[in-house]
Amino acid sequence: MKNINWGIIGCGAIAQKFAQALNGSNHCTPYAAAARDGKRAADFARKWGFTKSYGSYREMVQDKEVDIVYIATPHSYHYAHVKLCLEAGRHVLCEKPFTVNAEQLKVLIDLAANRNLFLMEALWSRFLPGMTKAKELVEQGVIGEVVLAEADFGLNFPYDPEHRLYNPLLAGGALLDLGIYPLFLSLHLFGKPEILKAHSLLDNNGIDLTTSMITQSKSGAICNLISTVRANTPIRAKIIGTKGTIEFDNWWFTPVDFTLCIDGKEDQIMKYSPDINGFEYEIEEAVRCLQEGKTESPIMSHDFSLLVMETMDDIRKMTGITYPQEIEQIDEPYGWKEL
């Protein structure tokens, strides 16, 4: 099988983890890294064994040896950076959340389809073996009819208006960055909710400091979902059925174990240690799709990514979460002039 040449846009913390997994994945070549700071890109490339480095995103995507680009920049720039890659004829794996709103994502999906290019959201939890197994157990009725699911993700970040979680121009706040994980669990298990309720505590610049969400599925399962940037929560998830429960360990959306508790039976600890660090599973899926000539992953479909973005749009409307117009617009993507 042909090795896939990977490029990376953005050389921050998440890109470091991705590069580590890339180096341990089959049929992958760490080829090019790009950052606005050329020295930073060169240091990153040297550390992780990339052949080339660029101080310009636009220059990197013009390199015809790049097969696919992983985008690891702040999510207010995702729309511009994905668009740049697609217009240059590069396949794309984009870090979550895909965009700031669903309208931006629809433009990118259409562009990828018109160019016959692969496009996928790197919401890594979807690809983790433990998450896949938990859903299988739910669908098989092992814990009976699901009545309730609970998931939270909260971290206490010191207030800094320039920090990405407090900066409106970086689409800061709890929902898009942290809340996407609890929301993902609900949508992954039960699909589009029949009932959706949400409430947010807003900062004075329109972003959310805390968002609480409740969903109810067609089956009647209710999900209680919490995200916040102002407090450390347990970061746990639990699925509760009429015959038992599935309870993930702390940091539940990462590659951790979970406990299967069936009424009247001994608890089972289901172990799922990653081969590398957990990012390898989304890499493997992207490589598989490229080698099979697919432009969309059946595991992380465009429709599912759209459902996530549309649901977050609905939550924002309910709660009053707002971002500056320049990062929401379609015609002139935010950051486009600086590419």
Side-chain angles (χ1 to χ4, degrees), residues 91 112-113 115-120 289 293-297 302:
H91 304 291
R115 301 293 178 97
N116 196 35
L117 292 168
F118 175 76
L119 177 65
M120 186 176 82
C289 288
K294 289 183 168 64
T295 57
E296 179 179 358
S297 165
H302 295 165

Side-chain angles (χ1 to χ4, degrees), residues 197-243:
K197 302 289 184 181
H199 181 75
S200 296
L201 173 65
L202 303 180
D203 199 1
N204 56 16
N205 57 16
I207 67 167
D208 64 313
L209 302 174
T210 300
T211 291
S212 174
M213 300 160 279
I214 297 176
T215 66
Q216 181 177 316
S217 68
K218 185 177 181 180
S219 68
I222 292 176
C223 298
N224 291 324
L225 315 168
I226 295 171
S227 61
T228 182
V229 298
R230 299 306 306 277
N232 295 317
T233 67
I235 314 182
R236 297 183 73 92
K238 191 172 186 178
I239 308 166
I240 304 167
T242 55
K243 296 180 181 178

Side-chain angles (χ1 to χ4, degrees), residues 262-282:
I262 304 298
D263 296 345
K265 295 184 178 181
E266 185 176 350
D267 294 353
Q268 299 179 56
I269 299 177
M270 314 292 281
K271 291 191 170 293
Y272 292 94
S273 298
D275 296 328
I276 306 172
N277 62 11
F279 284 82
E280 63 269 26
Y281 303 112
E282 63 186 30

Side-chain angles (χ1 to χ4, degrees), residues 115-136:
R115 301 293 178 97
N116 196 35
L117 292 168
F118 175 76
L119 177 65
M120 186 176 82
E121 184 177 15
L123 208 170
W124 72 322
S125 305
R126 176 62 184 87
F127 305 92
L128 299 177
M131 188 64 66
T132 299
K133 182 62 176 179
K135 186 176 182 182
E136 287 177 0

Side-chain angles (χ1 to χ4, degrees), residues 38-57:
K39 183 180 183 304
R40 188 181 193 190
D43 290 345
F44 181 94
R46 191 178 306 110
K47 177 179 180 180
W48 295 109
F50 284 74
T51 304
K52 292 187 176 182
S53 66
Y54 292 92
S56 161
Y57 301 153

Side-chain angles (χ1 to χ4, degrees), residues 85-134:
C85 293
L86 295 175
E87 290 184 346
R90 306 291 162 250
H91 304 291
V92 176
L93 175 63
C94 181
E95 191 51 57
K96 63 81 191 169
F98 227 142
T99 51
V100 173
N101 57 53
E103 288 305 310
Q104 290 179 343
L105 180 52
K106 290 175 183 177
V107 171
L108 297 178
I109 290 172
D110 288 345
L111 180 58
N114 291 336
R115 301 293 178 97
N116 196 35
L117 292 168
F118 175 76
L119 177 65
M120 186 176 82
E121 184 177 15
L123 208 170
W124 72 322
S125 305
R126 176 62 184 87
F127 305 92
L128 299 177
M131 188 64 66
T132 299
K133 182 62 176 179

